[in-house]
Amino acid sequence: MTTEESLLKAIRRGDSGAQRELYSRYAGIAMSVGMRYMANKEDARDVLQDSFVKILTSISRFSYRGEGSLKAWVTRIVANEAISQLRRKQHLRFVDDDNHEALAKAADDEEPDIGGMRPEALMQLIGQLPTGYRTVLNLFAIEGRSHAEIAQQLGISASTSASQYLRAKQALAKMIINYKRHSEQ
């Protein structure tokens, strides 16, 4: 298997086989990232396609920082493209809520056990969350961004980001509990 560094050098030399290898190596993970943000597979495919156009046209500006940095860059572009598409299609809506303590307590009250749950089922439940909730949940819990970073990227306040995350967590907990009840019957 080719290292990221040698793959990157080949792409920069114009090797179309290396471009195909980049796509085949990272399309699966990129599609997974797109599916975390988008409501359906068709929209995630659009994100994937647009992301790889951006990746291939801007790869000359990518700064290699060691094995894994290319993959991280690809996934970040996909996440940013998904958010851009949500914004363009006006699917990103947020509700500001100053009642953070009540939300935090409610979210902490319901911490369901996800053990034994298929990852696909959990991703399906996350996909059913409202777009604002799903977007903030992905950025905070999965990508590890702070509420301040999320606020800056999405054009919302940090407190809105925090409340969206807590609401997402609370809604997802209820969905998991219902899923487990129905799957045990």
Side-chain angles (χ1 to χ4, degrees):
M1 181 179 237
T2 312
T3 65
E4 283 186 348
E5 186 174 28
S6 59
L7 181 61
L8 187 58
K9 286 177 183 177
I11 291 169
R12 287 179 174 163
R13 285 193 312 268
D15 183 340
S16 60
Q19 291 176 348
R20 282 190 296 278
E21 184 177 339
L22 175 78
Y23 181 84
S24 65
R25 185 182 289 190
Y26 297 121
I29 187 81
M31 184 65 170
S32 295
V33 171
M35 286 295 298
R36 284 196 332 246
Y37 287 92
M38 308 310 287
N40 60 61
K41 224 175 209 173
E42 293 77 33
D43 289 343
R45 283 189 192 114
D46 289 345
V47 166
L48 179 70
Q49 180 179 342
D50 292 348
S51 295
F52 270 93
V53 168
K54 286 182 179 178
I55 289 162
L56 292 172
T57 58
S58 62
I59 203 156
S60 62
R61 295 187 305 268
F62 170 69
S63 177
Y64 181 74
R65 293 186 176 104
E67 199 64 26
S69 63
L70 181 59
K71 179 181 177 183
W73 182 69
V74 166
T75 58
R76 187 156 203 139
I77 286 176
V78 174
N80 289 340
E81 180 59 27
I83 291 167
S84 292
Q85 284 196 24
L86 289 171
R87 204 182 263 132
R88 275 194 306 273
K89 294 178 180 183
Q90 299 178 344
H91 291 298
L92 273 177
R93 289 184 180 79
F94 302 98
V95 177
D96 220 347
D97 190 340
D98 294 328
N99 195 6
H100 302 297
E101 288 180 30
L103 283 172
K105 176 152 179 35
D108 288 341
D109 286 348
E110 297 193 37
E111 287 285 335
D113 177 24
I114 60 170
M117 194 170 176
R118 293 182 352 268
E120 303 83 36
L122 182 58
M123 290 307 295
Q124 184 179 21
L125 293 178
I126 291 171
Q128 294 172 17
L129 289 170
T131 307
Y133 291 4
R134 185 176 60 244
T135 302
V136 173
L137 178 76
N138 279 304
L139 290 168
F140 185 80
I142 298 173
E143 295 189 26
R145 297 191 195 173
S146 70
H147 288 301
E149 291 170 317
I150 295 167
Q152 183 178 12
Q153 182 174 11
L154 300 180
I156 58 177
S157 69
S159 63
T160 297
S161 175
S163 70
Q164 294 294 296
Y165 172 69
L166 292 172
R167 287 174 183 267
K169 193 173 155 184
Q170 185 178 33
L172 185 58
K174 287 179 183 174
M175 293 164 71
I176 291 168
I177 290 166
N178 286 337
Y179 173 86
K180 287 195 155 214
R181 266 192 214 128
H182 288 98
S183 65
E184 291 173 356
Q185 292 177 357

